[in-house]
Amino acid sequence: MKIRILGSGAGGGFPQWNCNCHNCKRIRAGEMTGKRRTQSSIAVSSDNENWLLINASPDIRAQLGAFPAIQPKHGLRDTGIKAVLLIDSQIDHTTGLLMLREGKPLDVYCTEMVRQDLTTGFPIFTMLSHYCTVNHHPVPIDGGSFTIPAIADLRFYTQALKSKAPPYSPHRHDPHDGDNIGLVIEQISTGKRVYYAPGLGEIEAHVMTNMLNADCVLVDGTFWTEDEMIDLSLSKKKAAEMGHLPQSGHGGMIEVLDKVTKARKILIHINNSNPILDEASQAHRQLLQAGIELAYDGLEIDL
Ligand code: MLT
Ligand code: MN
Ligand code: ZN
């Protein structure tokens, strides 16, 4: 299978339009060794032709424009996107659906909780019903599996994660199973597996099992420290309040991934405040020493 990283940044991207933090200021001025990043999305295919879009980023137009394999090939209107899977209802993962409104009905796979958010607090499914319509396909939240007709040779397993629903969700302060999911993508013919969880607040037993069984993990790289946004005066929220596990410190992602020996380990959904974006930083070096890579826009993973 092939995974294309369409966008490796967290909400806001890097640099963020209004941000003058240490990272954003320096990348804009060309004074930092590092890469710009669009907002969180990947695509997966087993034949390099029929793709599942996983999350739909506000930056999708540029992401598709930079990726010939997914562009129209046959007939007047066409796309390599055969279906869309959403892992939550966050702005950075769903707004791109609005940019796909000129197409055929969209087959969207997501949990019932996400469907509810996208018809109430952020009603883009309702809005799209006036353009292309959305066919909602519910996905399991207990680790159960399913296949998607046009995406040959891949099987998907989805399971609820302890994370957070977005601020506009009717149950933001009343977590429900299915607000967020972790995803295993398995190639049926080869048995190869990827574990994808860009929003990972807590390492539950099933998360660890999925990471240990995977050939590649693509996991939450949002923050370096728990108080990063507070320390930089960017927000009053801790990483945990936003449903993200930081990389550094006791119990952080570096420690967690140390136990994961088989898989290629890649961080994704990296926030613009994170020091790992600076390739000359101590934090960046520490990651590389731990055998952990940073996803970047355009990265392709062949398994
Ligand atoms: C998050 O995952 O917490 C988001 O990136 C926040 C956002 O999109 O505003
Ligand atoms: Mn996000
Ligand atoms: Zn910034």
Side-chain angles (χ1 to χ4, degrees):
M1 79 177 103
K2 191 189 277 286
I3 306 258
R4 165 84 177 196
I5 308 301
L6 295 170
S8 54
F14 179 52
Q16 180 174 309
W17 69 283
N18 64 345
C19 190
N20 230 356
C21 78
H22 191 53
N23 283 341
C24 288
K25 191 190 334 202
R26 286 182 306 142
I27 195 92
R28 218 178 268 122
E31 289 166 1
M32 187 180 120
T33 315
K35 296 180 177 66
R36 294 169 175 257
R37 285 173 164 83
T38 62
Q39 295 167 86
S40 187
S41 174
I42 66 173
V44 62
S45 172
S46 58
D47 59 10
N48 217 18
E49 209 175 303
N50 297 289
W51 295 86
L52 174 67
L53 179 70
I54 305 177
N55 297 323
S57 159
D59 302 316
I60 190 166
R61 195 173 170 280
Q63 295 171 346
L64 301 181
F67 184 31
I70 211 163
Q71 294 168 8
K73 296 204 176 55
H74 320 282
L76 189 57
R77 291 279 169 94
D78 183 43
T79 176
I81 301 173
K82 294 298 174 313
V84 185
L85 186 149
L86 305 173
I87 59 122
D88 60 29
S89 58
Q90 295 269 3
I91 287 177
D92 56 347
H93 287 155
T94 59
T95 312
L97 289 176
L98 296 174
M99 261 52 77
L100 303 180
R101 68 189 175 285
E102 298 93 349
K104 292 184 180 156
L106 290 167
D107 283 297
V108 180
Y109 291 73
C110 66
T111 65
E112 173 57 19
M113 285 303 123
V114 168
R115 190 198 65 79
Q116 284 180 21
D117 285 352
L118 298 180
T119 49
T120 57
F122 186 30
I124 57 176
F125 280 6
T126 317
M127 292 161 69
L128 285 166
S129 69
H130 298 278
Y131 296 85
C132 57
T133 78
V134 170
N135 296 325
H136 171 239
H137 303 265
V139 302
I141 54 172
D142 61 355
S145 75
F146 60 99
T147 54
I148 297 176
I151 318 286
D153 204 23
L154 298 181
R155 182 177 287 128
F156 304 90
Y157 300 78
T158 46
Q159 189 150 8
L161 294 177
K162 288 202 185 346
S163 193
K164 284 278 183 291
Y168 43 80
S169 170
H171 47 268
R172 164 75 165 179
H173 301 292
D174 172 24
H176 284 58
D177 280 353
D179 289 337
N180 307 263
I181 51 171
L183 169 70
V184 174
I185 310 166
E186 179 185 62
Q187 182 155 15
I188 297 164
S189 59
T190 63
K192 294 277 184 193
R193 287 178 183 195
V194 177
Y195 184 61
Y196 175 65
L200 203 45
E202 218 179 292
I203 307 298
E204 300 161 79
H206 66 86
V207 172
M208 202 63 213
T209 305
N210 284 331
M211 293 204 292
L212 292 173
N213 290 335
D215 299 283
C216 178
V217 298
L218 278 167
V219 289
D220 194 332
T222 313
F223 298 120
W224 180 247
T225 60
E226 179 64 18
D227 290 331
E228 184 168 313
M229 297 290 273
I230 300 168
D231 292 344
L232 293 169
S233 305
L234 294 172
S235 162
K236 294 194 165 55
K237 290 181 191 158
K238 288 177 172 289
E241 284 171 65
M242 297 176 72
H244 298 296
L245 179 75
Q247 287 105 54
S248 65
H250 184 58
M253 193 63 89
I254 295 179
E255 260 188 37
V256 170
L257 289 180
D258 201 41
K259 301 186 198 104
V260 178
T261 47
K262 179 172 96 166
R264 180 172 172 189
K265 301 178 263 197
I266 307 177
L267 297 181
I268 194 155
H269 189 277
I270 304 160
N271 198 55
N272 58 74
S273 54
N274 194 325
I276 62 177
L277 288 168
D278 180 347
E279 292 170 15
S281 69
Q282 173 57 31
H284 186 92
R285 259 196 307 280
Q286 203 176 319
L287 276 188
L288 298 190
Q289 277 160 9
I292 301 171
E293 302 169 51
L294 266 69
Y296 56 85
D297 295 13
L299 171 65
E300 290 188 355
I301 301 158
D302 283 295
L303 279 180

